[in-house]
Amino acid sequence: LSQTAPAFVSIDWGTSSFRAYLSDMRGQVLAEVSTDAGALSLKPGEHEAYVAERIRPWLTDAPGLPVIASGMVGARQGWIETPYAVCPAGETEIALATVVASAPSLGRMCIAPGVRTEDARGAPDVMRGEETQILGALAAMGGEDGLFVLPGTHSKWARVEKGRIVGFRTYMTGEVFAVLKTHSVLGRMMIPPSSAVVESEGFTLGLDAARLLARPGDLLHAIFMARTFGLFERVPPRDLAEYLSGLLIGAEILAGADGAKAGTAIGAPSLTARYRAAASRLGVRLMIAPSHCTALGQLTLLRRLKILL
Amino acid sequence: LSQTAPAFVSIDWGTSSFRAYLSDMRGQVLAEVSTDAGALSLKPGEHEAYVAERIRPWLTDAPGLPVIASGMVGARQGWIETPYAVCPAGETEIALATVVASAPSLGRMCIAPGVRTEDARGAPDVMRGEETQILGALAAMGGEDGLFVLPGTHSKWARVEKGRIVGFRTYMTGEVFAVLKTHSVLGRMMIPPSSAVVESEGFTLGLDAARLLARPGDLLHAIFMARTFGLFERVPPRDLAEYLSGLLIGAEILAGADGAKAGTAIGAPSLTARYRAAASRLGVRLMIAPSHCTALGQLTLLRRLKILL
């Protein structure tokens, strides 16, 4: 195979979207298709046909391509339930927990597992999809150790040592922001900014407020300022949501980094750029991983499983 | 007037309910009427007629009774906008900012003002209604100094010195709990408890988690455990909401008390009992103020204004 020949089909299937990429041996994207069909929105038994329909032209042109999916597609209500690999989990443990099956309309297909950890007090935490992205970032960036942040609805902060995820924590930052903006009193005075911005005055105000929080419960006070700053016209309406976003992201970064001064952000470019700017103001240097980490991590798994060489 | 004769009409009018009490000279309730008409849900100009209709029998029996209202009724979208008294604010400052008017169908009526403060960094905070309850608690309990908590949708923690509110902070605890339970992924596995309880295992688990939070952003992680504890069946579904409630209330108490070991809770008995139990576990002793603090505080204002003797 030349490096630009199709080598496998990479599927990133979460709760809110389906994305399939025709990928070469370097994990580069040759073609893609995406829909807003979340992995948990299909009925049991419908997943295989859904995938086959979407990627039929690719399989027609290159029969026998392996298909690998990661994300919530491996949850109990997804395609095939995959187990959680338990921390510490690197490519070996994650490949061992990957489900490999033969699907009549697809040929050989794989579903990556999630990863599970427990903190010092025995409280569990889970990820599905992020473990594969972290493997991809490790492959792309050549390291074996580090702190990784995967920002989003449920942001993950993971610590990697010697190529294995040794522990991680989920922060509900994105969802807390969304429900407060949409369903609480805070949203009433907010006006959407005129355009998407990485940094704004409101965002910076929120980051600085995050740094000054003394006790954890003060976060419940500082979010209320998204109302009082508006009431007293201290912050323009189009900056109130930015203040709230900066406050929550800032608090997440300070807790997730927990004193570390550097890390790597993985995710959509608009979001990782925002996290990098925020972290920089808070004294944490974030590198940004390539955007095709999912395919890169899946490639690592396919090689470890000897499905690709 | 004998002590059980009607002396004034006390109205507690917030965003979600209207409550009027026929009160004697001790602030005791002789009769009451309540509806779910929030002060901001009426159109401008409708408030006077609404009140007159509800309390007509009382005014017929005892014409000329003064009427006094406190709460969001004094907001811009309420009955008559009242100014904010500025901290430090005691009975003198609050009485001075009280609006006294003559309403054709009611006679003499008063609307208490809100109170406004600024923290060391100039960030504003506001209350409407709670200032009157604090005056009532001071009158009932005989002190001049202390820490007061008024739990609720937007909990207030206020510090009083020499009879004046010197500063306070709002914590969005109740509303954050409600929006997370109703609109976030956390609510999906929650089952309502079989009956209202002051303390439960889930609540205690949440309080203990609050105590162990290290950095403010860890709150965004600890709330996610209301999902993982459910996923791994560590906490029964009917205790998940209790965990979240305990976590948020515990974080609020530790931040609001900020090292203080004692305070006074003002509010509905079910809520103050819950806060007292939570605070006790966290090393803070809360006394509970009488439940008619609004009428008691309004009585203080009417006397200060020489409307009552």
Side-chain angles (χ1 to χ4, degrees):
Chain A
L1 288 174
S2 80
Q3 289 202 323
T4 52
F8 68 105
V9 176
S10 160
I11 297 176
D12 177 358
W13 206 349
T15 47
S16 59
S17 65
F18 166 88
R19 292 193 193 89
Y21 305 94
L22 183 65
S23 301
D24 70 10
M25 279 299 285
R26 295 173 307 173
Q28 297 287 348
V29 177
L30 306 177
E32 65 179 275
V33 56
S34 65
T35 73
D36 58 1
L40 312 185
S41 67
L42 273 67
K43 294 201 184 68
E46 292 183 345
H47 293 78
E48 182 185 335
Y50 188 87
V51 173
E53 185 68 28
R54 298 296 158 309
I55 68 171
R56 181 159 299 153
W58 304 344
L59 296 181
T60 305
D61 290 349
L65 279 187
V67 175
I68 181 166
S70 57
M72 286 300 284
V73 62
R76 196 169 306 166
Q77 307 82 5
W79 186 353
I80 295 174
E81 183 176 3
T82 58
Y84 289 107
V86 177
C87 282
E91 63 175 77
T92 303
E93 294 79 9
I94 296 170
L96 275 173
T98 296
V99 168
V100 182
S102 183
S105 57
L106 293 172
R108 192 148 46 166
M109 50 80 65
C110 307
I111 302 183
V115 171
R116 172 183 167 178
T117 190
E118 287 196 358
D119 69 16
R121 285 175 285 136
D125 207 337
V126 290
M127 55 170 59
R128 276 200 188 275
E130 292 90 351
E131 71 298 320
T132 305
Q133 292 176 281
I134 291 170
L135 292 181
L138 289 169
M141 304 175 81
E144 281 211 306
D145 301 275
L147 179 65
F148 292 83
V149 51
L150 300 99
T153 307
H154 298 167
S155 291
K156 311 286 180 184
W157 286 76
R159 187 161 292 284
V160 174
E161 293 175 8
K162 297 182 182 167
R164 300 201 298 175
I165 301 166
V166 293
F168 61 88
R169 305 185 91 184
T170 301
Y171 296 81
M172 253 179 87
T173 314
E175 188 166 9
V176 167
F177 174 76
V179 298
L180 288 176
K181 182 161 176 275
T182 309
H183 299 289
S184 87
V185 70
L186 301 182
R188 284 191 212 156
M189 279 184 295
M190 291 177 178
I191 294 176
S194 47
S195 62
V197 285
V198 168
E199 278 184 287
S200 64
E201 279 185 39
F203 190 62
T204 302
L205 188 70
L207 293 173
D208 292 346
R211 187 170 16 203
L212 291 167
L213 294 172
R215 297 178 182 265
D218 288 336
L219 191 57
L220 296 168
H221 168 62
I223 59 176
F224 188 68
M225 290 185 189
R227 178 168 172 79
T228 49
F229 279 144
L231 274 177
F232 291 99
E233 298 174 359
R234 297 287 178 87
V235 174
R238 67 182 69 254
D239 254 355
L240 293 173
E242 285 288 297
Y243 163 78
L244 183 60
S245 173
L247 174 68
L248 295 172
I249 288 175
E252 178 201 323
I253 288 171
L254 290 169
D258 197 25
K261 295 293 168 208
T264 300
I266 306 175
S270 61
L271 204 50
T272 52
R274 198 167 167 81
Y275 268 64
R276 180 164 66 176
S280 170
R281 190 166 181 95
L282 298 171
V284 179
R285 192 170 44 85
L286 285 185
M287 282 177 296
I288 297 186
S291 62
H292 61 309
C293 280
T294 294
L296 287 172
Q298 291 170 335
L299 190 57
T300 295
L301 292 175
L302 290 173
R303 285 185 167 136
R304 192 71 187 67
L305 290 165
K306 307 207 185 302
I307 291 171
L308 289 180
L309 296 180
Chain B
L1 288 175
S2 81
Q3 289 202 323
T4 51
F8 69 105
V9 176
S10 159
I11 297 177
D12 177 358
W13 206 348
T15 48
S16 59
S17 66
F18 167 88
R19 294 193 192 89
Y21 305 95
L22 184 64
S23 301
D24 70 10
M25 278 300 283
R26 294 173 308 174
Q28 297 289 348
V29 177
L30 305 176
E32 65 179 275
V33 56
S34 65
T35 74
D36 59 1
L40 312 185
S41 66
L42 274 66
K43 293 201 184 69
E46 292 182 345
H47 293 79
E48 182 184 335
Y50 188 86
V51 173
E53 184 69 27
R54 298 296 158 309
I55 67 171
R56 180 160 300 152
W58 304 345
L59 296 181
T60 306
D61 290 349
L65 279 187
V67 174
I68 180 166
S70 57
M72 286 300 284
V73 62
R76 197 169 305 166
Q77 307 82 5
W79 187 352
I80 294 175
E81 184 176 2
T82 59
Y84 289 107
V86 178
C87 282
E91 63 175 78
T92 302
E93 293 79 9
I94 296 170
L96 274 174
T98 296
V99 168
V100 183
S102 184
S105 56
L106 293 172
R108 192 150 45 165
M109 50 80 65
C110 307
I111 301 183
V115 171
R116 171 181 169 181
T117 189
E118 287 195 359
D119 69 16
R121 286 175 286 135
D125 206 338
V126 290
M127 54 170 58
R128 278 201 186 274
E130 293 90 350
E131 70 298 321
T132 305
Q133 291 176 281
I134 292 170
L135 293 181
L138 289 169
M141 305 175 80
E144 281 211 306
D145 301 276
L147 179 65
F148 292 82
V149 52
L150 300 99
T153 308
H154 297 166
S155 291
K156 310 286 180 185
W157 286 76
R159 188 161 291 283
V160 173
E161 293 175 9
K162 296 183 183 166
R164 300 201 299 175
I165 301 166
V166 293
F168 61 89
R169 305 184 90 185
T170 301
Y171 296 82
M172 253 180 84
T173 313
E175 188 166 9
V176 168
F177 174 76
V179 297
L180 288 175
K181 182 162 177 274
T182 309
H183 299 290
S184 87
V185 70
L186 301 183
R188 284 192 211 152
M189 281 185 293
M190 291 178 179
I191 294 177
S194 47
S195 61
V197 284
V198 167
E199 277 183 288
S200 65
E201 279 185 37
F203 190 63
T204 302
L205 188 70
L207 293 173
D208 292 346
R211 192 176 5 209
L212 291 167
L213 295 171
R215 296 179 184 265
D218 288 336
L219 190 57
L220 296 169
H221 167 62
I223 60 176
F224 188 68
M225 291 186 188
R227 177 167 172 79
T228 50
F229 279 144
L231 274 178
F232 291 98
E233 298 175 359
R234 298 286 178 86
V235 173
R238 68 183 68 254
D239 254 355
L240 292 173
E242 286 287 297
Y243 163 79
L244 183 61
S245 173
L247 174 69
L248 294 173
I249 289 175
E252 178 202 323
I253 288 171
L254 290 169
D258 197 24
K261 295 293 168 208
T264 300
I266 306 175
S270 61
L271 203 51
T272 52
R274 196 166 168 83
Y275 268 64
R276 181 164 67 176
S280 170
R281 189 165 181 95
L282 299 172
V284 179
R285 190 170 46 84
L286 285 185
M287 283 178 294
I288 297 187
S291 60
H292 61 308
C293 279
T294 295
L296 288 173
Q298 291 169 335
L299 191 55
T300 295
L301 292 175
L302 290 172
R303 284 185 168 134
R304 191 71 187 65
L305 291 165
K306 306 207 184 303
I307 291 171
L308 288 180
L309 297 180

